[in-house]
Amino acid sequence: MLRDITIGQYYPTESVIHRLDPRTKFLGTIIFVVSLFLFKSFWGFLLTGGFLVCLTVLAHIPFKYVLKGMRPMLFLLLFMMIFTLLMTPGEVLGEWWIFTVTKEGIYAALFMGLRLTMLVLGSSLMTYTTTPNKLTAGMESVFGFLKIFKVPVHELAMMISIALRFIPILLEETNKIIKAQQARGADFESGGPVKRAKAMVPILIPLFVSSFRRAGELAEAMEARCYHGGEGRTKMKPLKYAKRDLVAYLCLIGLIVGCIFIP
Amino acid sequence: MVNFDKVTFEYIRRDEEGNVESINKALNEVDLDVKKGDFIAILGANGSGKSTLARHINALLTPTEGTVFISEMDTKEEKNLLKIRQKTGMVFQNPDNQIIAGLVEEDVGFGPENIGVPTKEIWERVAFALEKVGMTAYREKSPNNLSGGQKQRVAIAGILAMKPECIVLDEPTAMLDPKGRREVIETITELNKKEGITIILITHYMTEVVGADKVYVMSEGNIKMFGTPRQIFKEVERLKKYKLDVPQVTEIAYRLRQNGLNIPECILTVDEFMQCVTG
Amino acid sequence: MSLILDKINYYYGKGTAFESKALKNISLSIPDGEFIGLIGHTGSGKSTLIQHMNGLIKADSGNIYYNGQDICDKDFKMTELRRKVGLVFQYPEHQLFESTVIKDVLFGPKNIGLSQLEAEVAAYGALRSVGFSDDLIDASPFELSGGQKRRVAIAGVLAMSPEILILDEPTAGLDPAGRTEILSLLKTIKDEKGITVILVSHSMEDVAEFAERIIVIDDGEIKFDDEPRKVFSHAEELRKMGLEIPQCTELMSRLADAGFNVDRTCLTVDEAVASILRSAGRGE
């Protein structure tokens, strides 16, 4: 079911990673992603992979749940790996029809697969451990300097946080509309591509209409609660660095330095 | 606290060229006077103008003609806007579409954040508000997993945290089951009695109205009837003309009286009925 | 035509960390021409149950028989079940999508393979059954009032000529007059076409007045399945499930407890008035 999509959703539990400042987690994710591309040997994967495992354990998130988040990415991942495998020139190991497998290709595909997997796992770890509100507060603060260039940072952050909250609600709504149309005999499974595309109309129109209605009602509710943009707004949970954030930054620096100097 | 002076509101529909296609008077010269601490109920059929009226109290809409005053402040004046909205909070029908944050406590804190309350005080207000609606145990939960009645109580807490003098509820129980309805009505009744908050409740459920101080009946953009629940529910036939109803026990008593039984004029609850017949 | 549910079990989120049992050992028999009320608080499993009845959800264990045929059999035609068991979801007007009312109502009949002519006959008939005025059939469904939209949506299912019509809170959000109109329409449709109507409702008063049989579901289990009088005699149990009894039933049972010679099982205002008048010696 659509409900099973776990990527990008908050996993409520108590842990030191959950308590970290969202800016630390946001910048930390960027540092982690950068360090993934700094090394050239398997030792690097051992280091970054170990780092990731430690984080997951510290965050009290079951490995099963984390891996499930990978599922929607699996197809893309496999596709890119196969593409790399077949397209890298080098020492030929085997040939079949127009495909050539090279030693370099195997390495490159493996590296790429591992890097992408860790990239996705690393960044979903951020969303698992940070509520949408905190995450956007963190992003708002990290990108705050853009305000000088008239970028509506607060508004964008608010939009993202609301979008995240409404993902499960809209998925449920879609599910309901699909079922309602199925109850009216609609068939979404058979027929060619044109027929299938046409079959989407009875789902998409009600979905658009209801999203607009929801958006309107939400805007009204926000306005009724005195929302008027970021100006003069205080914060219930202002961002404050603690000692653990310092420790986290030190670890991250350790990681990136390690990745640069690893043989 | 809430004053309507000959308020008219028109929905104007235009065609593609911008010419006026039709004008629909949603409110037609409505006068309303709500005193501080009152519990007011507004009844009316679908499309009678109740929701339009509610949106005027919170300055989400402003009159086409006439004036709305909230504690002597004119809702048409831009500078009063935030003050008015802080004084008169609003709860809507669909619980899902009014919860903004991903955590209960953060949602309750949303209003105070908007009006610039200092951080420490926001926490105090959130704790107070959640306590008042009995949702303290859920403060760190996601609103998505709450029942309808609980979501509406969170919405009420979100408004309480802004220290309002008045709460307007636009069919807050329409999407709830009997238990959820009971929770919401008990919560607002208590807020009215214990905190002295003015309540303006819009509903289709007649039994929710019997505890109100005053009831207004709307039809076609006008207030047609107004009085205590007892005065209003006395007129069973007239209410039916406005597509409304009376509580079952009221109707039973009314019909027994018509048949010549010695029953007082307007009975509102089962308890009252029992008192009358057992003495 | 009959629908039999035999020991149905269903789990939410099967195989995930959030697995929970939504339906427990549900056995039901739905015969022809009955007006059934289905009550239970939000999350009790009502919605899940009704979706089993027309095959939108597949049970994890147990069988559903439609006219004696197992709906899980390979040669069973699911479209036939969808056609014969019409399901009107909550706030059905949110599923309207066509540019005109009539086109929207035609969607169902055409999906089940009726010819244009047959479909139109069915659609016009259905719109008439729900009391929709003829001069609005070419209007956009999005411009109608809430109550009118609701009727169009119900007509959309009715036009498929179901033999069982299931409605999930068809009166939610309507004013008292609108509620009574819709419910009376359902009763007329049931009487005229001899179909079975299953009404899911949060209003005990409505169910008491219209249903001939009430099924109470709580925590995924059937707690009561009986005639309304018997079901509403369990006031305490119902309250524990977050439900209630109709106000007039409450009044009558309290009068009876206080020693008055009245019928404590009255379900409607009419019955209650008649019973009190009888006991006061003014009855017919």
Side-chain angles (χ1 to χ4, degrees), chain A residues 3-18:
Chain A
R3 226 190 264 251
D4 294 342
I5 296 177
T6 55
I7 190 167
Q9 288 295 316
Y10 180 62
Y11 185 92
T13 182
E14 179 54 39
S15 84
V16 66
I17 305 293
H18 282 72

Side-chain angles (χ1 to χ4, degrees), chain B residues 142-204:
Chain B
S142 155
N144 288 341
N145 302 327
L146 302 180
S147 74
Q150 291 172 327
K151 283 182 197 163
Q152 287 299 51
R153 276 150 66 201
V154 170
I156 294 173
I159 288 170
L160 271 186
M162 295 172 74
K163 303 233 160 127
E165 288 171 23
C166 172
I167 302 181
V168 184
L169 303 102
D170 188 6
E171 294 189 44
T173 57
M175 298 177 83
L176 309 182
D177 61 11
K179 184 163 166 263
R181 287 209 293 265
R182 212 160 45 218
E183 284 170 17
V184 170
I185 297 302
E186 275 168 14
T187 306
I188 56 177
T189 309
E190 199 176 294
L191 289 177
N192 177 255
K193 297 275 171 311
K194 290 199 180 144
E195 307 293 319
I197 292 174
T198 312
I199 300 285
I200 300 179
L201 171 69
I202 293 172
T203 183
H204 279 154

